[in-house]
């Protein structure tokens, strides 16, 4: 009897469509707030790890700068042009990592059985997973990406028309949404794969690294993979190539440069479907 | 006593061999990153052939050897230092200290077992994949491979000795996460994982090559690529052995200071 009562209280709330988004946002904010308060108890540790996060990602750019101590251009791109690619990729990825990066630790929760706890709470599970162990220190990566981006902007040869000016923030946000979708879909993948969190890293961290370099240096198979299989090319390559007035190596039609937002929406919808399928297949640890 | 530590090595190996899916996933990641870095190096060496004295084939070999050694050298953190810190934090270290085994020797043996597994489990396949996709400059001579094996073993000991020092800081700092992170950032940069140290400009390159982290990738890679051969290869091994001895001694010294600080709370 108590069980049915609990069900009737929880289930309709989760399925009420108009309030579902608001409810998710509310749950997300509560969990994030809790983790932020717990982080701030060890303030010195927080400062150190945030700086570490900044330094770890900055090393990638230091490597590129070291490369440019020997060369004028890499794959036909100058240092500021690569900084534009780096800054946009890093900012988008950093935002997604901050908002939903914890989803890649879902495998741990599935293994140790604590995922059950999330299912029992009367709040949307995806919001809880995304906010799980929310790490404000990841602002370090966003900050570093933005700094490189701001450094590059006055140095690249871009004709700042209204379209290009608008394209930049839209690109950052659409790119973050695409990476969020990858994090969620990858998290859901761990319902089946369990121990294979590293595979997800190769798409997320690996993808972010690929996007820091000009597309022309990679093989065509790899380019097709990051355009049509995991559509990372829409995160920054296509819009940045348009801003810089360069052709894309796959010779895609010009309008795809503006397809970031619809691609992001599609990715998020697909990730949502994968997530649902993953949660449905979850059978707890006892089985 | 030697048999005891050998048993710990074997158990360390088996412990990591248990996680087969995670190992396969790690191999996949190392291969993907190997591909990405290879393409960026091809673009770089296309502009500057013979950068740092490497041909393009040598540079690509360097990339894949790096991916093969990444897990074994624990450049991005290996686990034992966090575990040691956890035991210091919880007080379990007191139990370890009255066991009839040397603390540093115990962890060294366990870490060598881990490294041996990571070398086989996560090292061989990525290098083979790299050799399938790109033309690598792998040597045919078994002597070179033997010297390389010795350089890798010594590099693993240097890596252990550094992480042991990092782990011991938990006796003073309560939360070690920051030190561990700083440690792997430095290791990643100064081992030559991001860019070969001989491609670092000017004095930065010279300093980086003289630091102990170069034993984790640059030195073994140069031995394998025969950039250091004959007497020079032996000098390279001596360089690694020297750092290993100094750092192990420093760890022993710090361990002595630290264990005098331990206060065991009675029941």
């Amino acid at each position: 009897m108590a069980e049915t009562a609990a069900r009737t209280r929880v289930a309709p709330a989760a399925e009420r469509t108009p309030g579902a988004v608001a409810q998710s946002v509310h749950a997300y904010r509560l969990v994030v707030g809790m983790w932020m308060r717990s982080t701030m108890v060890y303030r010195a540790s927080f400062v150190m790890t945030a700086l570490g996060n900044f330094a770890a990602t900055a090393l990638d750019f230091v490597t590129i700068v070291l490369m440019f101590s020997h060369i004028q251009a890499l794959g036909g791109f100058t240092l500021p042009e690569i900084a534009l690619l780096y800054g946009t990729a890093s900012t988008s990825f950093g935002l997604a990592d901050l908002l939903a990066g914890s989803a890649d630790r879902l495998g741990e929760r599935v293994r140790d059985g604590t995922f059950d706890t999330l299912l029992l709470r009367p709040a949307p599970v995806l919001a809880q997973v995304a906010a799980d162990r929310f790490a404000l220190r990841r602002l370090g990566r966003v900050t570093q990406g933005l700094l490189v981006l701001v450094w590059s902007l006055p140095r690249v040869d871009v004709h700042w028309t209204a379209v290009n000016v608008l394209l930049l923030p839209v690109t950052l946000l659409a790119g973050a949404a695409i990476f969020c979708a990858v994090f969620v879909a990858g998290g859901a993948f761990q319902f089946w794969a369990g121990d294979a969190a590293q595979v997800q890293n190769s798409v997320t961290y690996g993808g972010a690294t690929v996007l820091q370099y000009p597309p022309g240096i990679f093989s065509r198979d790899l380019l097709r993979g990051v355009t049509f299989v995991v559509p990372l090319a829409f995160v920054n390559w296509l819009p940045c190539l348009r801003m810089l007035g360069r052709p894309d190596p796959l010779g895609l039609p010009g309008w795809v440069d503006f397809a970031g937002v619809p691609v992001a929406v599609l990715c998020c919808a697909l990730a949502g479907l994968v997530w649902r399928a993953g949660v449905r297949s979850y059978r707890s640890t006892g089985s | 006593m030697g048999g005891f530590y050998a048993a710990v090595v074997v158990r360390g190996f088996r412990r990591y061999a248990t996680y087969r899916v995670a190992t396969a996933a790690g191999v996949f990641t190392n291969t993907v990153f190997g591909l990405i870095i290879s393409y960026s190096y091809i673009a770089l060496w296309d502009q500057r052939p013979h950068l740092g004295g490497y041909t393009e084939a040598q540079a690509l070999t360097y990339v894949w050897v790096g991916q093969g050694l990444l897990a074994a050298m624990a450049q991005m953190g290996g686990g034992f230092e966090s575990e040691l810190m956890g035991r210091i934090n919880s007080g379990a270290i007191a139990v370890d200290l009255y066991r009839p085994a040397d603390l540093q020797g115990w962890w060294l043996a366990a870490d060598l077992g881990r490294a041996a597994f990571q070398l086989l489990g996560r090292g061989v396949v990525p290098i083979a994949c790299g050799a399938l996709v790109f033309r690598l400059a792998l040597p045919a001579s078994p002597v070179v491979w033997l010297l390389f094996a010795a350089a890798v073993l010594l590099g693993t000991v240097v890596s252990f000795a550094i992480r042991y020092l990092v782990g011991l800081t938990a006796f003073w700092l309560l939360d070690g996460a920051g030190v561990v992170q700083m440690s792997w950032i430095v290791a990643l940069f100064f081992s030559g994982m991001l860019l070969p140290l001989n491609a670092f400009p000017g004095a930065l390159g010279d300093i980086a090559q003289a630091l102990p982290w170069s034993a984790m990738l640059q030195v073994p890679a140069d031995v394998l690529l025969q950039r250091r051969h004959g007497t020079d290869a032996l000098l390279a091994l001596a360089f690694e052995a020297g750092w290993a001895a100094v750092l192990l001694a420093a760890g022993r010294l710090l361990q002595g200071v630290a264990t005098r600080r331990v206060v065991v709370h009675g029941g």
Side-chain angles (χ1 to χ4, degrees), chain A residues 113-132:
Chain A
T114 50
F115 184 70
D116 292 18
T117 322
L118 305 188
L119 285 177
L120 285 171
R121 286 185 197 144
V125 181
L126 181 55
Q128 291 184 63
V129 168
D132 194 21

Side-chain angles (χ1 to χ4, degrees), chain B residues 15-16 70-87 107 110-111 114-115 118 122 159-160 163-164 166-167 180 183-184:
Chain B
R15 175 179 169 188
Y16 281 85
L70 181 69
M73 297 291 178
Q75 277 159 339
M76 301 189 72
F80 107 81
E81 60 274 29
S82 305
E83 208 180 321
L84 172 61
M85 284 174 150
R87 292 188 76 80
W107 286 108
D111 198 52
R114 177 202 61 80
Q118 303 283 32
R122 285 185 62 176
S159 161
F160 162 81
R163 286 177 295 125
Y164 191 68
V166 169
V180 168
S183 160
W184 71 251

Side-chain angles (χ1 to χ4, degrees), chain A residues 13-76:
Chain A
E15 279 159 22
R16 216 190 319 133
T17 19
V21 175
Q23 206 191 5
S24 293
V25 172
H26 180 67
Y28 184 87
R29 281 178 48 188
L30 280 179
V31 180
V32 163
M34 175 186 81
W35 283 107
M36 275 173 62
R37 276 198 303 281
S38 85
T39 313
M40 285 308 163
V41 173
Y42 302 99
R43 214 163 280 243
S45 197
F46 166 73
V47 172
M48 262 172 95
T49 49
L51 283 176
N53 206 272
F54 181 93
T57 50
L59 270 191
D60 290 339
F61 193 65
V62 170
T63 308
I64 294 173
V65 172
L66 287 181
M67 285 181 172
F68 272 87
S69 68
H70 298 285
I71 49 174
Q72 298 299 314
L74 189 73

Side-chain angles (χ1 to χ4, degrees), chain B residues 18-208:
Chain B
T18 313
Y19 303 100
R20 295 205 192 98
V21 182
T23 306
V27 166
F28 181 79
T29 309
N30 286 136
T31 309
V32 169
F33 271 91
L35 281 172
I36 298 169
I37 303 170
S38 289
Y39 285 117
S40 73
Y41 278 23
I42 289 173
L44 181 59
W45 260 263
D46 186 48
Q47 293 291 300
R48 280 290 307 268
H50 303 292
L51 176 64
Y54 285 164
T55 62
E56 189 188 278
Q58 282 179 315
L60 291 176
T61 313
Y62 184 94
V63 171
W64 291 95
V65 169
Q67 289 302 314
L69 291 183
L70 181 69
M73 297 291 178
Q75 277 159 339
M76 301 189 72
F80 107 81
E81 60 274 29
S82 305
E83 208 180 321
L84 172 61
M85 284 174 150
R87 292 188 76 80
I88 295 171
N89 243 329
S90 69
I93 195 77
V95 183
D96 298 342
L97 283 171
Y98 72 63
R99 282 193 177 129
D102 177 66
L103 193 67
Q104 195 184 32
W106 165 276
W107 286 108
L108 175 61
D111 198 52
L112 285 179
R114 177 202 61 80
F117 173 73
Q118 303 283 32
L119 201 61
L120 290 175
R122 285 185 62 176
V124 177
V125 179
I127 295 177
C129 288
L132 278 175
V133 182
F134 302 100
R135 202 172 60 82
L136 302 188
L138 292 169
S141 153
V143 179
V144 177
W145 282 100
L146 270 177
L147 286 171
F148 173 66
V152 169
L153 175 66
L154 287 168
T156 315
V157 178
V158 172
S159 161
F160 162 81
I162 293 173
R163 286 177 295 125
Y164 191 68
L165 286 168
V166 169
L168 288 181
T169 58
F171 277 108
W172 289 271
L173 309 164
L174 283 173
D175 182 46
V179 197
V180 168
Q181 190 181 32
M182 286 301 163
S183 160
W184 71 251
I185 291 171
V186 171
L188 214 54
F189 188 68
F190 284 110
S191 64
M193 195 64 201
L194 298 172
L195 195 68
L197 300 179
N198 41 3
F200 277 26
L204 181 64
D206 298 335
I207 294 169

Side-chain angles (χ1 to χ4, degrees), chain A residues 135-158:
Chain A
L136 195 61
R137 61 166 187 276
R138 290 175 179 151
L139 273 177
R141 184 189 288 276
V142 182
T143 316
Q144 196 264 337
L146 276 175
L147 282 176
V148 174
L149 180 62
V150 167
W151 178 84
S152 78
L153 287 179
R155 290 171 178 81
V156 285
D157 186 21
V158 172

